[in-house]
Amino acid sequence: MVRRLSKKDLQQARAELREWQTPANVIELFNRYASQAGENLMVQSGTNELLEAFVLGHAGRLRNASSIRIGARKRPDGELCVDGAVIPVEVTEADEPGRQRGDEYREVLRRRACDEPDETEFEPAYATSRQRRLFQLLIALRKAIRRKEPLAQSSAYGDCELLIYLNMKGGYVDPEHLDPAIRQREVCVPSGFRAVWVL
């Protein structure tokens, strides 16, 4: 049976996300709806704000934010309250060059619906060489920043920060690979964004 969030579920989730709440509550809210939707959460339309809740909830916890809200304004995606200051945050995803994540999830779901064996293999991050992994990270980060660069020039973004969620194949990114990637001159903060964070 294919599990999906109903239109009413999505409306309720959006209403909850627009209220200020602690990072722990945001993560719990994401987990609650994710358990209802299962893997369909990654491919069902209308779930972007829930996926942003996952990222902002964890980023808020790491940055000691007292509260978070998502989607209260059209842009940027969310806001963190840190030490009494409200920080607008735009969320984007960095992924393997050429990867079609949605297609991967759809194939897994199709196989399960047809009771076919799940032969989809995700190459573990640790199986790649250090140089290849660094190169993949550089490309992914640069692509994510360039995608949001035009938005950084918009007055609607104000003094906004960019939060990049690394969703690399295999799931785990070694900090030893990430640190030099971020230090590269090519991965720079676009004018208009106050800072770029990577999670």
Side-chain angles (χ1 to χ4, degrees):
M1 182 180 99
V2 175
R3 294 185 293 168
R4 295 176 65 82
L5 293 174
S6 69
K7 188 175 180 180
K8 185 178 178 182
D9 291 332
L10 290 170
Q11 288 171 340
Q12 178 63 34
R14 288 186 195 110
E16 292 181 67
L17 290 170
R18 280 160 177 65
E19 299 297 322
W20 287 105
Q21 50 195 308
T22 66
N25 286 349
V26 169
I27 293 167
E28 190 279 326
L29 187 149
F30 168 81
N31 289 337
R32 182 164 29 100
Y33 284 103
S35 68
Q36 281 181 250
E39 289 160 322
N40 268 303
L41 186 70
M42 301 304 289
V43 294
Q44 182 179 345
S45 63
T47 60
N48 280 356
E49 287 179 355
L50 279 167
L51 299 174
E52 289 162 359
F54 171 81
V55 176
L56 282 165
H58 285 284
R61 184 177 50 82
L62 291 169
R63 293 187 63 188
N64 295 317
S66 59
S67 54
I68 300 168
R69 69 177 177 176
I70 296 139
R73 299 187 297 161
K74 186 171 182 179
R75 287 289 181 198
D77 296 316
E79 296 163 294
L80 303 179
C81 185
V82 180
D83 296 329
V86 175
I87 303 168
V89 180
E90 180 69 13
V91 178
T92 193
E93 181 180 13
D95 207 341
E96 301 280 344
R99 182 181 180 200
Q100 300 294 319
R101 178 176 53 83
D103 291 346
E104 289 175 9
Y105 279 96
R106 283 185 194 90
E107 177 61 15
V108 169
L109 293 169
R110 185 197 66 76
R111 287 178 179 273
R112 289 185 185 161
C114 298
D115 286 331
E116 294 178 19
D118 183 6
E119 297 171 0
T120 307
E121 291 186 19
F122 300 102
E123 179 187 11
Y126 53 79
T128 63
S129 71
R130 178 181 169 84
Q131 292 79 13
R132 179 172 175 227
R133 197 66 176 157
L134 176 57
F135 182 67
Q136 289 172 334
L137 282 167
L138 278 169
I139 291 173
L141 289 171
R142 286 159 71 184
K143 185 177 175 183
I145 290 171
R146 285 183 182 149
R147 186 171 55 245
K148 294 294 181 174
E149 212 160 12
L151 301 176
Q153 308 304 320
S154 166
S155 60
Y157 282 75
D159 198 16
C160 183
E161 296 185 1
L162 179 63
L163 174 59
I164 302 173
Y165 170 56
L166 275 178
N167 189 16
M168 304 294 279
K169 212 170 185 181
Y172 176 71
V173 176
D174 188 334
E176 288 183 16
H177 296 165
L178 180 58
D179 290 346
I182 292 172
R183 285 198 298 266
Q184 297 293 322
R185 283 190 176 274
E186 297 94 330
V187 181
C188 59
V189 178
S191 59
F193 284 120
R194 184 170 73 176
V196 173
W197 296 82
V198 179
L199 178 66

